[in-house]
Amino acid sequence: MRTQVAIIGAGPAGLMLSHLLYLQGIESVVLERRSRDAICATIRAGVLEQGTVDLMSDAGLGGRMRREGFRHEGTVLRVGGVDRRIDFVELTGGRAVMVYAQHEVIKDLVDARLASGGDLRFEVANVSLHDLASSRPFVRYGGYSGELQTVQADFIVGCDGTHGVSRAAIAPQALQTVEHRYPYGWLGMLCKAPPSSDELIYALGDDGFALVSTRSLQVQRMYLQCDPRDQPEDWSDDRIWSTLRARLATRDGWQPKEGVIFDKTVIGMRSSVTEPMRHGRLFLAGDAAHVVPPTGAKGLNLAMSDVRLLSRALIRFYRQHGEDLLDAYSATALRRVWRAQRFSWWMTSLLHRAPGADAFERKLQDAELDYLTRSRAACTALAENYVGLPVGPLWD
Ligand code: APR
Ligand code: PHB
């Protein structure tokens, strides 16, 4: 079969791209390795930048997000038991974030694509990409019942995440990957409890980082800095709660609200960027091209800003036959990616205890935190990066 744009991967990047193209009359096929149930159940981060919130709304997908998400107008930095609130709205001229889980975004996108007859193919196997340098690239895959299928397209977009096949289809000498690994990981857990706080709390205690986030009035999400080699079984419920209590303790006796823990995962932390984000008629978007550590929750937002740019470029191509935006895509996307990398790295380094840090590094970290508690300029820099640097209009 033939389509205009073949999209590999039904994560936030692939699904949003398919939806934005559909809204402008451009056909696509989305090929996803996992089942619909699996992609709708995968637990990931849950903070939408202002630009992602606006994108969801402009794309007609904002209804449930506005009803069920939580608008957060600030966040709390808790260092050594003392709180400093960062007021996003005041510091950024009215911008804020929405706490709305990534899998809810996925559900909204899948529902919208299927309701408008979108071609989403789940549980495909052995996807391979061909003739990327020609103007008639194609994708092969094994369908649900095993027979080999071919999708011919004008363009292929690799939205298949960090372990996908798209990036690997490009000769390594045509790409450059820059990577940084952090000497710590996060233990993430979900528990049945009421919210402990109206706003997220990013805390640094003597022995490391803790984060209080939320999913709903009944389910809470919390994270702890851990050894990246830890297994979830290394963390008994008691150990989790006592570590959270210690790292989050304030001088006036604040305690997290406890409840039954029903999910535990260990998350590794790395920064990685692959350049360029294009090879012939193949474009990369989202985690297929870059990964950020979770502090600051930029992963989903970067995936969304990539496909927003790419959809504009593809729309221009089909409307005016102009390739200028397609040619500019990689460089334009990478500028934002690197700004987000810098911010994610900075926030991560600021709020974690690095094993092996020397006295000088520890003192620098203290000084950085001290500056943040005293300087409005430093708080503004945090706030504007956290809510996301402004993006242009969705369509001309
Ligand atoms: N064939 C088809 N689909 C694939 C293949 C493959 N070979 N490999 C991976 N996929 C699918 C995955 O199953 C997943 O559903 O591609 C999708 C990629 O989605 P994400 O990993 O969510 O990536 P992306 O859409 O770029 O979103 C980035 O998601 O990973 C988080 O933290 C990350 O928040 C960030 C966001
Ligand atoms: C989350 O709710 O999962 C979350 C929130 C903030 C982060 C990372 C993850 O910085």
Side-chain angles (χ1 to χ4, degrees), residues 43-47 75 99-102 186 189-190 200-202 209 211-215 220-223 267 293-298 347 386:
I43 297 162
R44 292 266 166 77
V47 179
T75 193
V99 177
Y100 187 62
Q102 180 168 317
W186 278 9
M189 66 84 148
L190 286 165
L200 268 57
I201 304 174
Y202 287 88
F209 171 77
L211 169 60
V212 176
S213 182
T214 186
R215 285 290 174 268
Q220 309 312 316
R221 180 81 166 143
M222 299 187 204
Y223 298 94
I267 302 158
T295 332
K298 291 287 169 227
M347 203 166 162
Y386 195 94

PDB file of all heavy atoms in Angstrom, residues 43-47 75 99-102 186 189-190 200-202 209 211-215 220-223 267 293-298 347 386, ligand 2:
ATOM      1  N   ILE A  43       3.730   3.485  32.146  1.00  0.00           N
ATOM      2  CA  ILE A  43       3.851   4.621  33.073  1.00  0.00           C
ATOM      3  C   ILE A  43       5.093   5.442  32.738  1.00  0.00           C
ATOM      4  O   ILE A  43       6.196   4.914  32.683  1.00  0.00           O
ATOM      5  CB  ILE A  43       3.930   4.120  34.530  1.00  0.00           C
ATOM      6  CG1 ILE A  43       2.634   3.417  34.883  1.00  0.00           C
ATOM      7  CG2 ILE A  43       4.196   5.272  35.494  1.00  0.00           C
ATOM      8  CD1 ILE A  43       2.745   2.523  36.089  1.00  0.00           C
ATOM      9  N   ARG A  44       4.870   6.702  32.487  1.00  0.00           N
ATOM     10  CA  ARG A  44       5.986   7.622  32.214  1.00  0.00           C
ATOM     11  C   ARG A  44       5.728   8.908  32.991  1.00  0.00           C
ATOM     12  O   ARG A  44       4.882   8.945  33.857  1.00  0.00           O
ATOM     13  CB  ARG A  44       6.052   7.905  30.705  1.00  0.00           C
ATOM     14  CG  ARG A  44       6.467   6.698  29.889  1.00  0.00           C
ATOM     15  CD  ARG A  44       7.977   6.717  29.644  1.00  0.00           C
ATOM     16  NE  ARG A  44       8.498   5.456  29.149  1.00  0.00           N
ATOM     17  CZ  ARG A  44       8.397   4.994  27.915  1.00  0.00           C
ATOM     18  NH1 ARG A  44       7.735   5.682  27.015  1.00  0.00           N
ATOM     19  NH2 ARG A  44       8.948   3.861  27.567  1.00  0.00           N
ATOM     20  N   ALA A  45       6.423   9.968  32.629  1.00  0.00           N
ATOM     21  CA  ALA A  45       6.295  11.232  33.386  1.00  0.00           C
ATOM     22  C   ALA A  45       4.939  11.891  33.127  1.00  0.00           C
ATOM     23  O   ALA A  45       4.101  11.348  32.408  1.00  0.00           O
ATOM     24  CB  ALA A  45       7.431  12.165  33.029  1.00  0.00           C
ATOM     25  N   GLY A  46       4.738  13.031  33.721  1.00  0.00           N
ATOM     26  CA  GLY A  46       3.403  13.610  33.608  1.00  0.00           C
ATOM     27  C   GLY A  46       3.321  15.118  33.739  1.00  0.00           C
ATOM     28  O   GLY A  46       2.337  15.627  34.249  1.00  0.00           O
ATOM     29  N   VAL A  47       4.341  15.834  33.260  1.00  0.00           N
ATOM     30  CA  VAL A  47       4.260  17.293  33.347  1.00  0.00           C
ATOM     31  C   VAL A  47       4.261  17.872  31.930  1.00  0.00           C
ATOM     32  O   VAL A  47       5.211  17.659  31.177  1.00  0.00           O
ATOM     33  CB  VAL A  47       5.446  17.877  34.146  1.00  0.00           C
ATOM     34  CG1 VAL A  47       5.365  19.404  34.196  1.00  0.00           C
ATOM     35  CG2 VAL A  47       5.472  17.309  35.562  1.00  0.00           C
ATOM     36  N   THR A  75       6.173  25.557  41.764  1.00  0.00           N
ATOM     37  CA  THR A  75       6.689  24.318  42.333  1.00  0.00           C
ATOM     38  C   THR A  75       7.519  24.667  43.569  1.00  0.00           C
ATOM     39  O   THR A  75       7.893  25.822  43.759  1.00  0.00           O
ATOM     40  CB  THR A  75       7.522  23.520  41.305  1.00  0.00           C
ATOM     41  OG1 THR A  75       7.750  22.209  41.805  1.00  0.00           O
ATOM     42  CG2 THR A  75       8.872  24.158  41.033  1.00  0.00           C
ATOM     43  N   VAL A  99      -0.144  19.000  35.133  1.00  0.00           N
ATOM     44  CA  VAL A  99       0.258  17.648  35.533  1.00  0.00           C
ATOM     45  C   VAL A  99      -0.824  16.704  35.002  1.00  0.00           C
ATOM     46  O   VAL A  99      -1.977  16.720  35.455  1.00  0.00           O
ATOM     47  CB  VAL A  99       0.448  17.552  37.058  1.00  0.00           C
ATOM     48  CG1 VAL A  99       0.801  16.125  37.464  1.00  0.00           C
ATOM     49  CG2 VAL A  99       1.569  18.502  37.503  1.00  0.00           C
ATOM     50  N   TYR A 100      -0.463  15.939  33.986  1.00  0.00           N
ATOM     51  CA  TYR A 100      -1.391  15.057  33.272  1.00  0.00           C
ATOM     52  C   TYR A 100      -0.518  13.952  32.681  1.00  0.00           C
ATOM     53  O   TYR A 100       0.377  14.217  31.881  1.00  0.00           O
ATOM     54  CB  TYR A 100      -2.096  15.857  32.179  1.00  0.00           C
ATOM     55  CG  TYR A 100      -3.213  15.141  31.444  1.00  0.00           C
ATOM     56  CD1 TYR A 100      -4.356  14.693  32.116  1.00  0.00           C
ATOM     57  CD2 TYR A 100      -3.150  14.950  30.059  1.00  0.00           C
ATOM     58  CE1 TYR A 100      -5.386  14.065  31.428  1.00  0.00           C
ATOM     59  CE2 TYR A 100      -4.183  14.329  29.370  1.00  0.00           C
ATOM     60  CZ  TYR A 100      -5.298  13.894  30.063  1.00  0.00           C
ATOM     61  OH  TYR A 100      -6.338  13.281  29.382  1.00  0.00           O
ATOM     62  N   ALA A 101      -0.756  12.711  33.112  1.00  0.00           N
ATOM     63  CA  ALA A 101       0.198  11.630  32.808  1.00  0.00           C
ATOM     64  C   ALA A 101       0.333  11.378  31.299  1.00  0.00           C
ATOM     65  O   ALA A 101      -0.635  11.490  30.552  1.00  0.00           O
ATOM     66  CB  ALA A 101      -0.243  10.349  33.501  1.00  0.00           C
ATOM     67  N   GLN A 102       1.548  10.979  30.919  1.00  0.00           N
ATOM     68  CA  GLN A 102       1.806  10.704  29.507  1.00  0.00           C
ATOM     69  C   GLN A 102       0.846   9.655  28.938  1.00  0.00           C
ATOM     70  O   GLN A 102       0.414   9.760  27.801  1.00  0.00           O
ATOM     71  CB  GLN A 102       3.258  10.255  29.333  1.00  0.00           C
ATOM     72  CG  GLN A 102       3.630   9.934  27.905  1.00  0.00           C
ATOM     73  CD  GLN A 102       5.127   9.769  27.709  1.00  0.00           C
ATOM     74  OE1 GLN A 102       5.934  10.541  28.229  1.00  0.00           O
ATOM     75  NE2 GLN A 102       5.510   8.770  26.960  1.00  0.00           N
ATOM     76  N   TRP A 186      16.640   6.786  39.449  1.00  0.00           N
ATOM     77  CA  TRP A 186      15.471   7.084  40.275  1.00  0.00           C
ATOM     78  C   TRP A 186      14.712   5.795  40.539  1.00  0.00           C
ATOM     79  O   TRP A 186      14.535   4.971  39.627  1.00  0.00           O
ATOM     80  CB  TRP A 186      14.499   8.016  39.542  1.00  0.00           C
ATOM     81  CG  TRP A 186      14.842   9.472  39.587  1.00  0.00           C
ATOM     82  CD1 TRP A 186      15.983  10.039  40.055  1.00  0.00           C
ATOM     83  CD2 TRP A 186      14.008  10.536  39.114  1.00  0.00           C
ATOM     84  NE1 TRP A 186      15.914  11.409  39.900  1.00  0.00           N
ATOM     85  CE2 TRP A 186      14.712  11.732  39.328  1.00  0.00           C
ATOM     86  CE3 TRP A 186      12.739  10.600  38.523  1.00  0.00           C
ATOM     87  CZ2 TRP A 186      14.188  12.987  38.978  1.00  0.00           C
ATOM     88  CZ3 TRP A 186      12.225  11.829  38.180  1.00  0.00           C
ATOM     89  CH2 TRP A 186      12.940  13.009  38.407  1.00  0.00           C
ATOM     90  N   MET A 189       7.740   5.271  42.193  1.00  0.00           N
ATOM     91  CA  MET A 189       6.662   4.418  42.713  1.00  0.00           C
ATOM     92  C   MET A 189       5.309   5.104  42.572  1.00  0.00           C
ATOM     93  O   MET A 189       5.214   6.323  42.468  1.00  0.00           O
ATOM     94  CB  MET A 189       6.944   4.021  44.169  1.00  0.00           C
ATOM     95  CG  MET A 189       6.920   5.156  45.157  1.00  0.00           C
ATOM     96  SD  MET A 189       5.253   5.536  45.727  1.00  0.00           S
ATOM     97  CE  MET A 189       5.590   6.092  47.382  1.00  0.00           C
ATOM     98  N   LEU A 190       4.277   4.269  42.520  1.00  0.00           N
ATOM     99  CA  LEU A 190       2.894   4.765  42.547  1.00  0.00           C
ATOM    100  C   LEU A 190       2.242   4.238  43.810  1.00  0.00           C
ATOM    101  O   LEU A 190       2.455   3.077  44.176  1.00  0.00           O
ATOM    102  CB  LEU A 190       2.108   4.237  41.335  1.00  0.00           C
ATOM    103  CG  LEU A 190       2.418   4.870  39.977  1.00  0.00           C
ATOM    104  CD1 LEU A 190       1.853   4.025  38.853  1.00  0.00           C
ATOM    105  CD2 LEU A 190       1.870   6.295  39.893  1.00  0.00           C
ATOM    106  N   LEU A 200       4.219  20.184  42.986  1.00  0.00           N
ATOM    107  CA  LEU A 200       5.319  19.218  43.048  1.00  0.00           C
ATOM    108  C   LEU A 200       6.385  19.722  44.017  1.00  0.00           C
ATOM    109  O   LEU A 200       6.636  20.928  44.103  1.00  0.00           O
ATOM    110  CB  LEU A 200       5.945  19.041  41.663  1.00  0.00           C
ATOM    111  CG  LEU A 200       5.368  17.915  40.802  1.00  0.00           C
ATOM    112  CD1 LEU A 200       3.869  18.068  40.599  1.00  0.00           C
ATOM    113  CD2 LEU A 200       6.069  17.842  39.465  1.00  0.00           C
ATOM    114  N   ILE A 201       7.002  18.791  44.730  1.00  0.00           N
ATOM    115  CA  ILE A 201       8.104  19.156  45.629  1.00  0.00           C
ATOM    116  C   ILE A 201       9.365  18.460  45.134  1.00  0.00           C
ATOM    117  O   ILE A 201       9.418  17.225  45.066  1.00  0.00           O
ATOM    118  CB  ILE A 201       7.827  18.718  47.082  1.00  0.00           C
ATOM    119  CG1 ILE A 201       6.492  19.301  47.574  1.00  0.00           C
ATOM    120  CG2 ILE A 201       8.977  19.143  47.995  1.00  0.00           C
ATOM    121  CD1 ILE A 201       6.075  18.782  48.951  1.00  0.00           C
ATOM    122  N   TYR A 202      10.345  19.268  44.754  1.00  0.00           N
ATOM    123  CA  TYR A 202      11.669  18.754  44.384  1.00  0.00           C
ATOM    124  C   TYR A 202      12.556  18.945  45.606  1.00  0.00           C
ATOM    125  O   TYR A 202      12.817  20.092  45.995  1.00  0.00           O
ATOM    126  CB  TYR A 202      12.251  19.536  43.212  1.00  0.00           C
ATOM    127  CG  TYR A 202      11.590  19.242  41.876  1.00  0.00           C
ATOM    128  CD1 TYR A 202      10.469  19.943  41.449  1.00  0.00           C
ATOM    129  CD2 TYR A 202      12.114  18.267  41.029  1.00  0.00           C
ATOM    130  CE1 TYR A 202       9.875  19.677  40.215  1.00  0.00           C
ATOM    131  CE2 TYR A 202      11.531  17.998  39.798  1.00  0.00           C
ATOM    132  CZ  TYR A 202      10.418  18.709  39.396  1.00  0.00           C
ATOM    133  OH  TYR A 202       9.849  18.436  38.183  1.00  0.00           O
ATOM    134  N   PHE A 209      18.108  12.958  46.438  1.00  0.00           N
ATOM    135  CA  PHE A 209      16.946  13.640  45.874  1.00  0.00           C
ATOM    136  C   PHE A 209      15.653  12.882  46.179  1.00  0.00           C
ATOM    137  O   PHE A 209      15.646  11.660  46.291  1.00  0.00           O
ATOM    138  CB  PHE A 209      17.162  13.681  44.360  1.00  0.00           C
ATOM    139  CG  PHE A 209      15.989  14.145  43.544  1.00  0.00           C
ATOM    140  CD1 PHE A 209      15.682  15.496  43.465  1.00  0.00           C
ATOM    141  CD2 PHE A 209      15.209  13.230  42.846  1.00  0.00           C
ATOM    142  CE1 PHE A 209      14.605  15.933  42.688  1.00  0.00           C
ATOM    143  CE2 PHE A 209      14.132  13.660  42.077  1.00  0.00           C
ATOM    144  CZ  PHE A 209      13.837  15.011  41.996  1.00  0.00           C
ATOM    145  N   LEU A 211      11.231  13.378  44.993  1.00  0.00           N
ATOM    146  CA  LEU A 211      10.246  14.180  44.263  1.00  0.00           C
ATOM    147  C   LEU A 211       8.849  13.705  44.611  1.00  0.00           C
ATOM    148  O   LEU A 211       8.566  12.504  44.547  1.00  0.00           O
ATOM    149  CB  LEU A 211      10.490  14.042  42.747  1.00  0.00           C
ATOM    150  CG  LEU A 211       9.434  14.588  41.795  1.00  0.00           C
ATOM    151  CD1 LEU A 211       9.206  16.089  41.988  1.00  0.00           C
ATOM    152  CD2 LEU A 211       9.858  14.339  40.338  1.00  0.00           C
ATOM    153  N   VAL A 212       8.002  14.646  44.964  1.00  0.00           N
ATOM    154  CA  VAL A 212       6.593  14.336  45.219  1.00  0.00           C
ATOM    155  C   VAL A 212       5.797  14.852  44.032  1.00  0.00           C
ATOM    156  O   VAL A 212       5.761  16.055  43.774  1.00  0.00           O
ATOM    157  CB  VAL A 212       6.106  15.039  46.510  1.00  0.00           C
ATOM    158  CG1 VAL A 212       4.624  14.794  46.724  1.00  0.00           C
ATOM    159  CG2 VAL A 212       6.910  14.563  47.706  1.00  0.00           C
ATOM    160  N   SER A 213       5.186  13.915  43.282  1.00  0.00           N
ATOM    161  CA  SER A 213       4.317  14.305  42.169  1.00  0.00           C
ATOM    162  C   SER A 213       2.959  13.634  42.380  1.00  0.00           C
ATOM    163  O   SER A 213       2.727  12.990  43.404  1.00  0.00           O
ATOM    164  CB  SER A 213       4.957  13.898  40.840  1.00  0.00           C
ATOM    165  OG  SER A 213       4.156  14.306  39.755  1.00  0.00           O
ATOM    166  N   THR A 214       2.081  13.800  41.428  1.00  0.00           N
ATOM    167  CA  THR A 214       0.724  13.282  41.607  1.00  0.00           C
ATOM    168  C   THR A 214       0.187  12.723  40.302  1.00  0.00           C
ATOM    169  O   THR A 214       0.692  13.047  39.226  1.00  0.00           O
ATOM    170  CB  THR A 214      -0.195  14.415  42.134  1.00  0.00           C
ATOM    171  OG1 THR A 214      -1.476  13.884  42.436  1.00  0.00           O
ATOM    172  CG2 THR A 214      -0.334  15.539  41.126  1.00  0.00           C
ATOM    173  N   ARG A 215      -0.815  11.881  40.388  1.00  0.00           N
ATOM    174  CA  ARG A 215      -1.505  11.385  39.209  1.00  0.00           C
ATOM    175  C   ARG A 215      -2.992  11.714  39.266  1.00  0.00           C
ATOM    176  O   ARG A 215      -3.615  11.985  38.255  1.00  0.00           O
ATOM    177  CB  ARG A 215      -1.320   9.871  39.070  1.00  0.00           C
ATOM    178  CG  ARG A 215       0.044   9.470  38.591  1.00  0.00           C
ATOM    179  CD  ARG A 215       0.260   9.860  37.126  1.00  0.00           C
ATOM    180  NE  ARG A 215       1.626   9.593  36.688  1.00  0.00           N
ATOM    181  CZ  ARG A 215       2.635  10.458  36.735  1.00  0.00           C
ATOM    182  NH1 ARG A 215       2.429  11.684  37.187  1.00  0.00           N
ATOM    183  NH2 ARG A 215       3.840  10.135  36.316  1.00  0.00           N
ATOM    184  N   GLN A 220      -0.764   8.705  43.822  1.00  0.00           N
ATOM    185  CA  GLN A 220       0.372   9.633  43.872  1.00  0.00           C
ATOM    186  C   GLN A 220       1.611   8.987  43.270  1.00  0.00           C
ATOM    187  O   GLN A 220       1.782   7.772  43.310  1.00  0.00           O
ATOM    188  CB  GLN A 220       0.648  10.076  45.320  1.00  0.00           C
ATOM    189  CG  GLN A 220      -0.591  10.595  46.034  1.00  0.00           C
ATOM    190  CD  GLN A 220      -1.380  11.601  45.200  1.00  0.00           C
ATOM    191  OE1 GLN A 220      -0.806  12.495  44.575  1.00  0.00           O
ATOM    192  NE2 GLN A 220      -2.694  11.446  45.150  1.00  0.00           N
ATOM    193  N   ARG A 221       2.485   9.833  42.696  1.00  0.00           N
ATOM    194  CA  ARG A 221       3.724   9.390  42.078  1.00  0.00           C
ATOM    195  C   ARG A 221       4.877  10.035  42.839  1.00  0.00           C
ATOM    196  O   ARG A 221       4.898  11.267  43.000  1.00  0.00           O
ATOM    197  CB  ARG A 221       3.734   9.864  40.622  1.00  0.00           C
ATOM    198  CG  ARG A 221       4.970   9.485  39.829  1.00  0.00           C
ATOM    199  CD  ARG A 221       4.879   8.079  39.339  1.00  0.00           C
ATOM    200  NE  ARG A 221       5.852   7.739  38.317  1.00  0.00           N
ATOM    201  CZ  ARG A 221       6.443   6.549  38.253  1.00  0.00           C
ATOM    202  NH1 ARG A 221       6.177   5.613  39.142  1.00  0.00           N
ATOM    203  NH2 ARG A 221       7.286   6.281  37.283  1.00  0.00           N
ATOM    204  N   MET A 222       5.795   9.222  43.317  1.00  0.00           N
ATOM    205  CA  MET A 222       6.953   9.780  44.022  1.00  0.00           C
ATOM    206  C   MET A 222       8.224   9.093  43.527  1.00  0.00           C
ATOM    207  O   MET A 222       8.177   7.949  43.052  1.00  0.00           O
ATOM    208  CB  MET A 222       6.814   9.596  45.531  1.00  0.00           C
ATOM    209  CG  MET A 222       5.594  10.314  46.084  1.00  0.00           C
ATOM    210  SD  MET A 222       5.505  10.294  47.859  1.00  0.00           S
ATOM    211  CE  MET A 222       3.742  10.505  48.081  1.00  0.00           C
ATOM    212  N   TYR A 223       9.318   9.811  43.635  1.00  0.00           N
ATOM    213  CA  TYR A 223      10.606   9.284  43.168  1.00  0.00           C
ATOM    214  C   TYR A 223      11.674   9.529  44.229  1.00  0.00           C
ATOM    215  O   TYR A 223      11.603  10.498  44.992  1.00  0.00           O
ATOM    216  CB  TYR A 223      11.058  10.017  41.903  1.00  0.00           C
ATOM    217  CG  TYR A 223      10.164   9.890  40.702  1.00  0.00           C
ATOM    218  CD1 TYR A 223       9.193  10.851  40.434  1.00  0.00           C
ATOM    219  CD2 TYR A 223      10.300   8.839  39.801  1.00  0.00           C
ATOM    220  CE1 TYR A 223       8.385  10.767  39.307  1.00  0.00           C
ATOM    221  CE2 TYR A 223       9.501   8.742  38.660  1.00  0.00           C
ATOM    222  CZ  TYR A 223       8.542   9.713  38.420  1.00  0.00           C
ATOM    223  OH  TYR A 223       7.755   9.627  37.301  1.00  0.00           O
ATOM    224  N   ILE A 267      14.681   3.748  37.240  1.00  0.00           N
ATOM    225  CA  ILE A 267      14.859   4.483  35.985  1.00  0.00           C
ATOM    226  C   ILE A 267      16.309   4.954  35.908  1.00  0.00           C
ATOM    227  O   ILE A 267      16.796   5.614  36.824  1.00  0.00           O
ATOM    228  CB  ILE A 267      13.915   5.714  35.980  1.00  0.00           C
ATOM    229  CG1 ILE A 267      12.460   5.275  36.149  1.00  0.00           C
ATOM    230  CG2 ILE A 267      14.097   6.550  34.720  1.00  0.00           C
ATOM    231  CD1 ILE A 267      11.552   6.361  36.680  1.00  0.00           C
ATOM    232  N   PRO A 293      17.473  13.206  31.078  1.00  0.00           N
ATOM    233  CA  PRO A 293      17.142  12.617  32.384  1.00  0.00           C
ATOM    234  C   PRO A 293      15.784  13.163  32.825  1.00  0.00           C
ATOM    235  O   PRO A 293      15.367  14.229  32.357  1.00  0.00           O
ATOM    236  CB  PRO A 293      18.271  13.114  33.295  1.00  0.00           C
ATOM    237  CG  PRO A 293      18.812  14.331  32.622  1.00  0.00           C
ATOM    238  CD  PRO A 293      18.592  14.156  31.157  1.00  0.00           C
ATOM    239  N   PRO A 294      15.079  12.454  33.705  1.00  0.00           N
ATOM    240  CA  PRO A 294      13.687  12.826  33.968  1.00  0.00           C
ATOM    241  C   PRO A 294      13.480  14.099  34.796  1.00  0.00           C
ATOM    242  O   PRO A 294      12.380  14.641  34.815  1.00  0.00           O
ATOM    243  CB  PRO A 294      13.126  11.614  34.723  1.00  0.00           C
ATOM    244  CG  PRO A 294      14.312  10.938  35.316  1.00  0.00           C
ATOM    245  CD  PRO A 294      15.458  11.206  34.389  1.00  0.00           C
ATOM    246  N   THR A 295      14.526  14.599  35.445  1.00  0.00           N
ATOM    247  CA  THR A 295      14.363  15.801  36.277  1.00  0.00           C
ATOM    248  C   THR A 295      13.913  16.971  35.388  1.00  0.00           C
ATOM    249  O   THR A 295      14.630  17.337  34.456  1.00  0.00           O
ATOM    250  CB  THR A 295      15.712  16.174  36.943  1.00  0.00           C
ATOM    251  OG1 THR A 295      16.481  15.005  37.118  1.00  0.00           O
ATOM    252  CG2 THR A 295      15.494  16.911  38.226  1.00  0.00           C
ATOM    253  N   GLY A 296      12.747  17.512  35.663  1.00  0.00           N
ATOM    254  CA  GLY A 296      12.229  18.596  34.834  1.00  0.00           C
ATOM    255  C   GLY A 296      11.251  18.102  33.787  1.00  0.00           C
ATOM    256  O   GLY A 296      10.567  18.913  33.147  1.00  0.00           O
ATOM    257  N   ALA A 297      11.175  16.776  33.586  1.00  0.00           N
ATOM    258  CA  ALA A 297      10.153  16.154  32.743  1.00  0.00           C
ATOM    259  C   ALA A 297      10.093  16.731  31.329  1.00  0.00           C
ATOM    260  O   ALA A 297       9.029  17.075  30.823  1.00  0.00           O
ATOM    261  CB  ALA A 297       8.788  16.277  33.432  1.00  0.00           C
ATOM    262  N   LYS A 298      11.232  16.806  30.672  1.00  0.00           N
ATOM    263  CA  LYS A 298      11.260  17.413  29.334  1.00  0.00           C
ATOM    264  C   LYS A 298      11.032  16.420  28.191  1.00  0.00           C
ATOM    265  O   LYS A 298      10.794  16.830  27.059  1.00  0.00           O
ATOM    266  CB  LYS A 298      12.606  18.117  29.103  1.00  0.00           C
ATOM    267  CG  LYS A 298      12.806  19.346  29.943  1.00  0.00           C
ATOM    268  CD  LYS A 298      11.946  20.482  29.432  1.00  0.00           C
ATOM    269  CE  LYS A 298      11.892  21.662  30.355  1.00  0.00           C
ATOM    270  NZ  LYS A 298      10.556  22.184  30.588  1.00  0.00           N
ATOM    271  N   MET A 347      19.332  20.927  36.235  1.00  0.00           N
ATOM    272  CA  MET A 347      18.406  20.636  37.332  1.00  0.00           C
ATOM    273  C   MET A 347      18.772  19.304  38.002  1.00  0.00           C
ATOM    274  O   MET A 347      18.663  19.149  39.209  1.00  0.00           O
ATOM    275  CB  MET A 347      16.972  20.604  36.794  1.00  0.00           C
ATOM    276  CG  MET A 347      15.963  20.854  37.876  1.00  0.00           C
ATOM    277  SD  MET A 347      14.356  21.204  37.207  1.00  0.00           S
ATOM    278  CE  MET A 347      13.367  20.882  38.671  1.00  0.00           C
ATOM    279  N   TYR A 386      11.364  25.646  32.950  1.00  0.00           N
ATOM    280  CA  TYR A 386      10.466  24.582  33.414  1.00  0.00           C
ATOM    281  C   TYR A 386       9.136  24.633  32.667  1.00  0.00           C
ATOM    282  O   TYR A 386       8.628  23.605  32.211  1.00  0.00           O
ATOM    283  CB  TYR A 386      10.248  24.714  34.930  1.00  0.00           C
ATOM    284  CG  TYR A 386       9.649  23.472  35.542  1.00  0.00           C
ATOM    285  CD1 TYR A 386      10.463  22.486  36.096  1.00  0.00           C
ATOM    286  CD2 TYR A 386       8.275  23.275  35.563  1.00  0.00           C
ATOM    287  CE1 TYR A 386       9.918  21.333  36.652  1.00  0.00           C
ATOM    288  CE2 TYR A 386       7.721  22.128  36.111  1.00  0.00           C
ATOM    289  CZ  TYR A 386       8.549  21.160  36.653  1.00  0.00           C
ATOM    290  OH  TYR A 386       8.002  20.021  37.193  1.00  0.00           O
TER     291      TYR A 386
HETATM  292  C1  PHB B   2       6.083  12.642  37.156  1.00  0.00           C
HETATM  293  O1  PHB B   2       5.024  13.022  37.666  1.00  0.00           O
HETATM  294  O2  PHB B   2       6.206  11.503  36.707  1.00  0.00           O
HETATM  295  C2  PHB B   2       7.242  13.563  37.074  1.00  0.00           C
HETATM  296  C3  PHB B   2       7.108  14.859  37.508  1.00  0.00           C
HETATM  297  C4  PHB B   2       8.167  15.731  37.445  1.00  0.00           C
HETATM  298  C5  PHB B   2       9.389  15.295  36.964  1.00  0.00           C
HETATM  299  C6  PHB B   2       9.552  13.994  36.515  1.00  0.00           C
HETATM  300  C7  PHB B   2       8.469  13.123  36.577  1.00  0.00           C
HETATM  301  O3  PHB B   2      10.441  16.162  36.929  1.00  0.00           O
END
